[in-house]
Amino acid sequence: MTNSQSNLDFKTMARRYLEKAGYRDVEDDNGSSLVRGKNRFFESFVMKGLQVDLIEPGRILCSFRVPPRLLNSGNFLHGGATASLVDLVGSAVIYTLGSSTTGVSLEINISYLDAAYIDEEIEIEAKVLRVGKAIGVVTVELRKKSSGKIIAQGRHTKYLSIGASRL
């Protein structure tokens, strides 16, 4: 397999991860990946309608129209839905650098800076800061597509060496 074929496979894996709401076609040896057919209600609930616009090594750009199901009592995007988008899109970007797993979360933090309202189109951009043998760190930014105004910024740290762990 050439390097360009390998990159394409990881791009395909990242796209499938996002567009299939977290499902994977094949389970990893350590059994930690998501398998097609398992009940993954939560991921589907949050991710339905997410469109992948760009995938390149270390970066994913998505667009998303805020649906009524993800609004809080103030009628704007719920903080929990925002956190889930940071988690899931941030996990997917790890695939773009050739990782065979998205790992497990060690830390996630989010700064909520503005509100996104029903039917508002937002951009979600995930970038890899570092992917090593055991740890991956990504940033995820949600922005209003019309103005570029930042809605939320997240940072997500993942433990990638699940198969080697004795935990």
Side-chain angles (χ1 to χ4, degrees), residues 62-82:
C62 300
S63 55
F64 187 70
R65 188 170 297 279
V66 178
R69 71 180 181 278
L70 298 182
L71 300 180
N72 63 16
S73 61
N75 286 322
F76 53 89
L77 183 63
H78 194 286
T82 300

Side-chain angles (χ1 to χ4, degrees), residues 10 18 35 41 44 47 65 67 70-71 73 88-89 157 165 167:
F10 292 115
L18 291 171
V35 181
F41 170 79
S44 297
M47 304 276 284
R65 188 170 297 279
L70 298 182
L71 300 180
S73 61
L88 295 166
V89 179
T157 304
S165 177
L167 295 176

Side-chain angles (χ1 to χ4, degrees), residues 59-115:
R59 183 173 175 243
I60 291 180
L61 185 64
C62 300
S63 55
F64 187 70
R65 188 170 297 279
V66 178
R69 71 180 181 278
L70 298 182
L71 300 180
N72 63 16
S73 61
N75 286 322
F76 53 89
L77 183 63
H78 194 286
T82 300
S84 294
L85 289 166
V86 168
D87 180 11
L88 295 166
V89 179
S91 294
V93 77
I94 291 172
Y95 281 134
T96 68
L97 293 182
S99 179
S100 62
T101 181
T102 62
V104 295
S105 298
L106 291 176
E107 177 186 30
I108 188 167
N109 67 63
I110 299 157
S111 296
Y112 298 93
L113 305 169
D114 201 1

Side-chain angles (χ1 to χ4, degrees), residues 120-123 143-149:
E120 188 165 16
E121 185 123 12
I122 63 173
E123 286 182 327
R143 296 182 294 266
K144 294 177 182 258
K145 200 162 191 174
S146 62
S147 66
K149 191 170 184 182

